[in-house]
């Protein structure tokens, strides 16, 4: 993983992931090192494995919807980084494309890069805090 700040106002980082890097772990690491409290990100690339989920309203948990152990294109990754209990939390959704042209999308549970993932992170001027929403049981941004 390599990262570099490319703009000051707003603070903008470019993060390049390599084969074997796990996207969520890399985003959490960069968020901690760079002290990111309120940011959004977008990315493209390719993956060797991906697990996508959906939020089950009845159980109030994310459940696996797609689990692929194959080469896929990372067509779109979007998300945010916000603080929850003082720690950066990553929330991401992505869409992948398979060899046959079909696409799958959902909440990112895990993704292993092969050969690259190019992420642009932009820090928001106002810090966002996540709070537990009593109805869903998950941490939601409350600006």
């Amino acid at each position: 993983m390599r990262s570099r700040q490319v703009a000051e106002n707003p603070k903008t980082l470019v993060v390049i992931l390599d084969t074997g890097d796990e996207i969520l772990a890399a985003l959490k690491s960069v968020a901690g090192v760079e002290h990111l409290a309120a940011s959004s990100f977008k990315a493209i690339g390719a993956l060797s494995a991906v697990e996508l989920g959906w939020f089950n309203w009845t159980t109030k948990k994310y459940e696996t919807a797609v689990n692929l152990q194959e080469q896929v294109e990372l067509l779109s990754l979007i998300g945010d980084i916000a603080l929850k209990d003082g720690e950066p939390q990553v929330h991401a959704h992505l869409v992948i494309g398979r060899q046959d042209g079909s696409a799958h999308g959902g909440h990112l549970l895990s993704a292993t890069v092969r050969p690259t993932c190019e992420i642009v992170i932009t820090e928001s001027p106002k810090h966002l805090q996540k709070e537990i929403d009593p109805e869903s049981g998950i941490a939601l941004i409350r600006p």
Side-chain angles (χ1 to χ4, degrees):
M1 174 179 69
R2 300 174 307 284
S3 66
R4 181 169 54 129
Q5 185 172 334
V6 295
E8 184 64 40
N9 193 13
K11 182 178 183 179
T12 304
L13 304 162
V14 173
V15 180
I16 306 299
L17 305 182
D18 299 310
T19 296
D21 289 339
E22 204 287 320
I23 293 176
L24 283 176
L27 285 167
K28 288 177 185 177
S29 174
V30 169
V33 168
E34 295 291 336
H35 307 290
L36 299 176
S39 303
S40 62
F41 56 86
K42 57 187 174 186
I44 58 171
L47 309 170
S48 63
V50 63
E51 184 178 7
L52 305 175
W54 64 285
F55 185 72
N56 183 326
W57 187 256
T58 303
T59 64
K60 307 292 191 246
K61 295 181 182 190
Y62 286 99
E63 296 182 11
T64 299
V66 175
N67 192 342
L68 300 173
Q69 304 297 312
E70 63 187 64
Q71 189 68 25
V72 296
E73 291 292 314
L74 172 51
L75 304 175
S76 177
L77 169 67
I78 59 172
D80 63 53
I81 300 168
L83 293 180
K84 179 184 173 210
D85 301 327
E87 295 294 321
Q89 300 293 308
V90 177
H91 182 204
H93 289 186
L94 64 82
V95 178
I96 57 95
R98 297 180 78 185
Q99 181 181 6
D100 66 2
S102 63
H104 296 277
H107 179 87
L108 176 60
L109 298 175
S110 69
T112 305
V113 173
R114 184 170 64 193
T116 192
C117 179
E118 304 161 346
I119 306 170
V120 177
I121 302 173
T122 305
E123 189 167 47
S124 302
K126 179 181 176 186
H127 289 276
L128 302 175
Q129 289 282 334
K130 285 196 172 192
E131 298 174 5
I132 296 295
D133 173 62
E135 187 177 11
S136 68
I138 59 177
L140 301 176
I141 293 175
R142 302 293 187 214

